[in-house]
Every structure is written in structure tokens, then in C-alpha cells.
mmCIF file of all heavy atoms in Angstrom:
data_model
loop_
_atom_site.group_PDB
_atom_site.id
_atom_site.type_symbol
_atom_site.label_atom_id
_atom_site.label_comp_id
_atom_site.label_asym_id
_atom_site.label_seq_id
_atom_site.Cartn_x
_atom_site.Cartn_y
_atom_site.Cartn_z
ATOM 1 N N SER A 1 101.173 89.333 80.099
ATOM 2 C CA SER A 1 101.992 88.790 79.013
ATOM 3 C C SER A 1 101.977 87.267 78.982
ATOM 4 O O SER A 1 102.020 86.665 77.902
ATOM 5 C CB SER A 1 103.437 89.282 79.157
ATOM 6 O OG SER A 1 103.513 90.686 79.046
ATOM 7 N N GLY A 2 101.903 86.629 80.146
ATOM 8 C CA GLY A 2 102.012 85.173 80.225
ATOM 9 C C GLY A 2 101.038 84.426 79.338
ATOM 10 O O GLY A 2 101.443 83.646 78.460
ATOM 11 N N PRO A 3 99.726 84.587 79.546
ATOM 12 C CA PRO A 3 98.785 83.831 78.710
ATOM 13 C C PRO A 3 98.831 84.209 77.240
ATOM 14 O O PRO A 3 98.588 83.372 76.370
ATOM 15 C CB PRO A 3 97.418 84.141 79.332
ATOM 16 C CG PRO A 3 97.610 85.358 80.155
ATOM 17 C CD PRO A 3 99.035 85.324 80.606
ATOM 18 N N GLN A 4 99.162 85.458 76.944
ATOM 19 C CA GLN A 4 99.279 85.838 75.538
ATOM 20 C C GLN A 4 100.418 85.082 74.860
ATOM 21 O O GLN A 4 100.291 84.613 73.725
ATOM 22 C CB GLN A 4 99.513 87.344 75.414
ATOM 23 C CG GLN A 4 98.342 88.189 75.871
ATOM 24 C CD GLN A 4 98.591 89.663 75.621
ATOM 25 O OE1 GLN A 4 98.678 90.105 74.489
ATOM 26 N NE2 GLN A 4 98.699 90.434 76.696
ATOM 27 N N ILE A 5 101.538 84.938 75.553
ATOM 28 C CA ILE A 5 102.674 84.219 74.973
ATOM 29 C C ILE A 5 102.385 82.721 74.907
ATOM 30 O O ILE A 5 102.776 82.041 73.940
ATOM 31 C CB ILE A 5 103.961 84.511 75.753
ATOM 32 C CG1 ILE A 5 104.339 85.994 75.583
ATOM 33 C CG2 ILE A 5 105.101 83.610 75.302
ATOM 34 C CD1 ILE A 5 104.553 86.436 74.142
ATOM 35 N N ILE A 6 101.693 82.177 75.894
ATOM 36 C CA ILE A 6 101.288 80.770 75.817
ATOM 37 C C ILE A 6 100.439 80.539 74.569
ATOM 38 O O ILE A 6 100.663 79.593 73.804
ATOM 39 C CB ILE A 6 100.523 80.359 77.088
ATOM 40 C CG1 ILE A 6 101.481 80.285 78.286
ATOM 41 C CG2 ILE A 6 99.825 79.012 76.885
ATOM 42 C CD1 ILE A 6 100.789 80.074 79.615
ATOM 43 N N GLU A 7 99.448 81.400 74.352
ATOM 44 C CA GLU A 7 98.592 81.270 73.179
ATOM 45 C C GLU A 7 99.389 81.436 71.884
ATOM 46 O O GLU A 7 99.199 80.680 70.913
ATOM 47 C CB GLU A 7 97.474 82.312 73.239
ATOM 48 C CG GLU A 7 96.562 82.360 72.026
ATOM 49 C CD GLU A 7 95.659 81.161 71.862
ATOM 50 O OE1 GLU A 7 95.507 80.380 72.831
ATOM 51 O OE2 GLU A 7 95.090 81.001 70.762
ATOM 52 N N MET A 8 100.273 82.404 71.855
ATOM 53 C CA MET A 8 101.084 82.644 70.662
ATOM 54 C C MET A 8 101.973 81.441 70.345
ATOM 55 O O MET A 8 102.055 80.991 69.192
ATOM 56 C CB MET A 8 101.932 83.897 70.861
ATOM 57 C CG MET A 8 102.766 84.302 69.669
ATOM 58 S SD MET A 8 103.669 85.846 70.009
ATOM 59 C CE MET A 8 104.522 86.071 68.444
ATOM 60 N N MET A 9 102.664 80.899 71.350
ATOM 61 C CA MET A 9 103.528 79.752 71.129
ATOM 62 C C MET A 9 102.737 78.532 70.682
ATOM 63 O O MET A 9 103.182 77.754 69.829
ATOM 64 C CB MET A 9 104.325 79.429 72.401
ATOM 65 C CG MET A 9 105.390 80.434 72.776
ATOM 66 S SD MET A 9 106.754 80.539 71.577
ATOM 67 C CE MET A 9 106.425 82.133 70.842
ATOM 68 N N HIS A 10 101.553 78.358 71.228
ATOM 69 C CA HIS A 10 100.712 77.225 70.836
ATOM 70 C C HIS A 10 100.297 77.338 69.372
ATOM 71 O O HIS A 10 100.220 76.335 68.653
ATOM 72 C CB HIS A 10 99.481 77.158 71.742
ATOM 73 C CG HIS A 10 98.522 76.058 71.354
ATOM 74 N ND1 HIS A 10 98.883 74.731 71.353
ATOM 75 C CD2 HIS A 10 97.220 76.105 70.956
ATOM 76 C CE1 HIS A 10 97.843 73.997 70.975
ATOM 77 N NE2 HIS A 10 96.842 74.814 70.715
ATOM 78 N N ARG A 11 100.030 78.551 68.925
ATOM 79 C CA ARG A 11 99.659 78.731 67.512
ATOM 80 C C ARG A 11 100.839 78.481 66.583
ATOM 81 O O ARG A 11 100.672 77.910 65.500
ATOM 82 C CB ARG A 11 99.121 80.150 67.292
ATOM 83 C CG ARG A 11 97.794 80.412 67.971
ATOM 84 C CD ARG A 11 97.239 81.764 67.577
ATOM 85 N NE ARG A 11 95.983 82.061 68.254
ATOM 86 C CZ ARG A 11 95.169 83.049 67.902
ATOM 87 N NH1 ARG A 11 95.491 83.840 66.894
ATOM 88 N NH2 ARG A 11 94.046 83.255 68.559
ATOM 89 N N ILE A 12 102.013 78.893 66.988
ATOM 90 C CA ILE A 12 103.194 78.694 66.147
ATOM 91 C C ILE A 12 103.626 77.229 66.141
ATOM 92 O O ILE A 12 104.008 76.682 65.094
ATOM 93 C CB ILE A 12 104.349 79.585 66.632
ATOM 94 C CG1 ILE A 12 103.972 81.069 66.489
ATOM 95 C CG2 ILE A 12 105.632 79.292 65.856
ATOM 96 C CD1 ILE A 12 104.963 82.015 67.129
ATOM 97 N N TYR A 13 103.541 76.574 67.309
ATOM 98 C CA TYR A 13 103.960 75.183 67.460
ATOM 99 C C TYR A 13 102.798 74.379 68.037
ATOM 100 O O TYR A 13 102.798 74.029 69.229
ATOM 101 C CB TYR A 13 105.173 75.082 68.378
ATOM 102 C CG TYR A 13 106.342 75.946 67.954
ATOM 103 C CD1 TYR A 13 106.607 77.162 68.582
ATOM 104 C CD2 TYR A 13 107.182 75.544 66.916
ATOM 105 C CE1 TYR A 13 107.685 77.953 68.195
ATOM 106 C CE2 TYR A 13 108.259 76.326 66.520
ATOM 107 C CZ TYR A 13 108.499 77.529 67.162
ATOM 108 O OH TYR A 13 109.559 78.311 66.779
ATOM 109 N N PRO A 14 101.774 74.081 67.230
ATOM 110 C CA PRO A 14 100.552 73.477 67.775
ATOM 111 C C PRO A 14 100.739 72.106 68.412
ATOM 112 O O PRO A 14 99.935 71.688 69.241
ATOM 113 C CB PRO A 14 99.618 73.408 66.558
ATOM 114 C CG PRO A 14 100.519 73.498 65.368
ATOM 115 C CD PRO A 14 101.670 74.344 65.786
ATOM 116 N N GLY A 15 101.794 71.397 68.042
ATOM 117 C CA GLY A 15 102.012 70.081 68.632
ATOM 118 C C GLY A 15 102.948 70.086 69.824
ATOM 119 O O GLY A 15 103.217 69.025 70.409
ATOM 120 N N ALA A 16 103.429 71.252 70.208
ATOM 121 C CA ALA A 16 104.426 71.333 71.278
ATOM 122 C C ALA A 16 103.798 71.195 72.660
ATOM 123 O O ALA A 16 102.639 71.569 72.884
ATOM 124 C CB ALA A 16 105.177 72.658 71.195
ATOM 125 N N LYS A 17 104.588 70.664 73.574
ATOM 126 C CA LYS A 17 104.210 70.648 74.986
ATOM 127 C C LYS A 17 104.847 71.864 75.643
ATOM 128 O O LYS A 17 106.059 72.066 75.548
ATOM 129 C CB LYS A 17 104.699 69.366 75.665
ATOM 130 C CG LYS A 17 104.100 69.143 77.041
ATOM 131 C CD LYS A 17 102.609 68.829 76.934
ATOM 132 C CE LYS A 17 102.010 68.495 78.307
ATOM 133 N NZ LYS A 17 100.573 68.185 78.201
ATOM 134 N N ILE A 18 104.036 72.662 76.299
ATOM 135 C CA ILE A 18 104.524 73.885 76.938
ATOM 136 C C ILE A 18 104.584 73.660 78.445
ATOM 137 O O ILE A 18 103.595 73.263 79.067
ATOM 138 C CB ILE A 18 103.597 75.073 76.611
ATOM 139 C CG1 ILE A 18 103.618 75.349 75.098
ATOM 140 C CG2 ILE A 18 104.028 76.318 77.398
ATOM 141 C CD1 ILE A 18 102.621 76.402 74.656
ATOM 142 N N ARG A 19 105.741 73.908 79.015
ATOM 143 C CA ARG A 19 105.919 73.758 80.457
ATOM 144 C C ARG A 19 106.235 75.135 81.026
ATOM 145 O O ARG A 19 107.115 75.837 80.521
ATOM 146 C CB ARG A 19 107.046 72.780 80.760
ATOM 147 C CG ARG A 19 107.183 72.371 82.234
ATOM 148 C CD ARG A 19 108.122 71.178 82.330
ATOM 149 N NE ARG A 19 108.409 70.794 83.683
ATOM 150 C CZ ARG A 19 107.639 70.003 84.448
ATOM 151 N NH1 ARG A 19 106.519 69.521 83.959
ATOM 152 N NH2 ARG A 19 107.995 69.686 85.675
ATOM 153 N N ILE A 20 105.487 75.536 82.057
ATOM 154 C CA ILE A 20 105.665 76.879 82.607
ATOM 155 C C ILE A 20 106.326 76.808 83.982
ATOM 156 O O ILE A 20 106.069 75.911 84.783
ATOM 157 C CB ILE A 20 104.325 77.650 82.676
ATOM 158 C CG1 ILE A 20 103.306 76.947 83.576
ATOM 159 C CG2 ILE A 20 103.755 77.849 81.277
ATOM 160 C CD1 ILE A 20 102.026 77.752 83.790
ATOM 161 N N TYR A 21 107.178 77.795 84.221
ATOM 162 C CA TYR A 21 107.945 77.910 85.464
ATOM 163 C C TYR A 21 107.773 79.330 86.003
ATOM 164 O O TYR A 21 107.734 80.296 85.244
ATOM 165 C CB TYR A 21 109.434 77.678 85.207
ATOM 166 C CG TYR A 21 109.801 76.327 84.658
ATOM 167 C CD1 TYR A 21 109.599 76.023 83.310
ATOM 168 C CD2 TYR A 21 110.379 75.358 85.470
ATOM 169 C CE1 TYR A 21 109.954 74.784 82.806
ATOM 170 C CE2 TYR A 21 110.741 74.113 84.967
ATOM 171 C CZ TYR A 21 110.527 73.832 83.632
ATOM 172 O OH TYR A 21 110.873 72.601 83.119
ATOM 173 N N GLY A 22 107.731 79.466 87.320
ATOM 174 C CA GLY A 22 107.728 80.792 87.916
ATOM 175 C C GLY A 22 106.470 81.599 87.645
ATOM 176 O O GLY A 22 106.515 82.823 87.607
ATOM 177 N N PHE A 23 105.346 80.931 87.460
ATOM 178 C CA PHE A 23 104.064 81.609 87.279
ATOM 179 C C PHE A 23 103.295 81.566 88.597
ATOM 180 O O PHE A 23 102.809 80.512 89.011
ATOM 181 C CB PHE A 23 103.229 80.909 86.200
ATOM 182 C CG PHE A 23 103.528 81.339 84.795
ATOM 183 C CD1 PHE A 23 104.792 81.154 84.242
ATOM 184 C CD2 PHE A 23 102.550 81.928 84.016
ATOM 185 C CE1 PHE A 23 105.072 81.540 82.945
ATOM 186 C CE2 PHE A 23 102.810 82.323 82.701
ATOM 187 C CZ PHE A 23 104.078 82.129 82.169
ATOM 188 N N THR A 24 103.177 82.699 89.264
ATOM 189 C CA THR A 24 102.405 82.750 90.515
ATOM 190 C C THR A 24 101.049 83.413 90.335
ATOM 191 O O THR A 24 100.230 83.394 91.239
ATOM 192 C CB THR A 24 103.187 83.517 91.594
ATOM 193 O OG1 THR A 24 103.480 84.834 91.106
ATOM 194 C CG2 THR A 24 104.476 82.803 91.965
ATOM 195 N N HIS A 25 100.803 84.013 89.179
ATOM 196 C CA HIS A 25 99.528 84.668 88.887
ATOM 197 C C HIS A 25 99.177 85.697 89.959
ATOM 198 O O HIS A 25 98.116 85.673 90.573
ATOM 199 C CB HIS A 25 98.399 83.636 88.751
ATOM 200 C CG HIS A 25 98.672 82.599 87.706
ATOM 201 N ND1 HIS A 25 98.645 82.868 86.355
ATOM 202 C CD2 HIS A 25 99.013 81.291 87.814
ATOM 203 C CE1 HIS A 25 98.943 81.769 85.677
ATOM 204 N NE2 HIS A 25 99.174 80.806 86.543
ATOM 205 N N GLU A 26 100.081 86.615 90.143
ATOM 206 C CA GLU A 26 99.848 87.723 91.062
ATOM 207 C C GLU A 26 100.696 88.901 90.613
ATOM 208 O O GLU A 26 101.676 88.746 89.896
ATOM 209 C CB GLU A 26 100.197 87.331 92.499
ATOM 210 C CG GLU A 26 101.625 86.843 92.677
ATOM 211 C CD GLU A 26 101.906 86.343 94.080
ATOM 212 O OE1 GLU A 26 101.162 86.707 95.008
ATOM 213 O OE2 GLU A 26 102.884 85.596 94.251
ATOM 214 N N GLY A 27 100.275 90.092 91.024
ATOM 215 C CA GLY A 27 100.992 91.293 90.631
ATOM 216 C C GLY A 27 100.052 92.466 90.457
ATOM 217 O O GLY A 27 99.182 92.704 91.295
ATOM 218 N N TRP A 28 100.192 93.169 89.347
ATOM 219 C CA TRP A 28 99.434 94.393 89.109
ATOM 220 C C TRP A 28 97.932 94.119 89.106
ATOM 221 O O TRP A 28 97.462 93.143 88.514
ATOM 222 C CB TRP A 28 99.869 95.012 87.776
ATOM 223 C CG TRP A 28 99.149 96.279 87.437
ATOM 224 C CD1 TRP A 28 99.017 97.373 88.218
ATOM 225 C CD2 TRP A 28 98.469 96.566 86.216
ATOM 226 N NE1 TRP A 28 98.287 98.345 87.564
ATOM 227 C CE2 TRP A 28 97.941 97.873 86.326
ATOM 228 C CE3 TRP A 28 98.258 95.854 85.038
ATOM 229 C CZ2 TRP A 28 97.216 98.474 85.302
ATOM 230 C CZ3 TRP A 28 97.549 96.454 84.020
ATOM 231 C CH2 TRP A 28 97.030 97.749 84.161
ATOM 232 N N TYR A 29 97.167 94.983 89.754
ATOM 233 C CA TYR A 29 95.728 94.749 89.929
ATOM 234 C C TYR A 29 94.936 94.808 88.626
ATOM 235 O O TYR A 29 93.784 94.357 88.571
ATOM 236 C CB TYR A 29 95.146 95.772 90.913
ATOM 237 C CG TYR A 29 95.022 97.178 90.356
ATOM 238 C CD1 TYR A 29 93.853 97.606 89.751
ATOM 239 C CD2 TYR A 29 96.093 98.062 90.427
ATOM 240 C CE1 TYR A 29 93.747 98.886 89.228
ATOM 241 C CE2 TYR A 29 96.002 99.334 89.913
ATOM 242 C CZ TYR A 29 94.819 99.753 89.309
ATOM 243 O OH TYR A 29 94.731 101.010 88.799
#
């Protein structure tokens, strides 16, 4: 879900700065 939402938010707000918290990039195989 993470990268999909990053991409979605960037498309909706193309000039926005996105800051991510709590992303460890681990979990389901």
C-alpha cells in the first residue's frame, strides 16, 4: 500500500513535499 499511496498523493498534489514515517519496508513476503 505504501508506494501506491505515495504515487497517488503525488498525482493529486504534484507540488507537495511528502514526508514518510514508520516505513521499514519489511513484512509479508
Side-chain angles (χ1 to χ4, degrees):
S1 297
Q4 294 185 66
I5 294 302
I6 289 172
E7 176 69 15
M8 183 177 181
M9 290 295 109
H10 177 61
R11 292 187 182 193
I12 297 171
Y13 305 101
K17 192 69 176 180
I18 297 174
R19 189 167 175 84
I20 61 174
Y21 299 77
F23 275 62
T24 57
H25 303 288
E26 57 185 340
W28 180 52
Y29 73 92

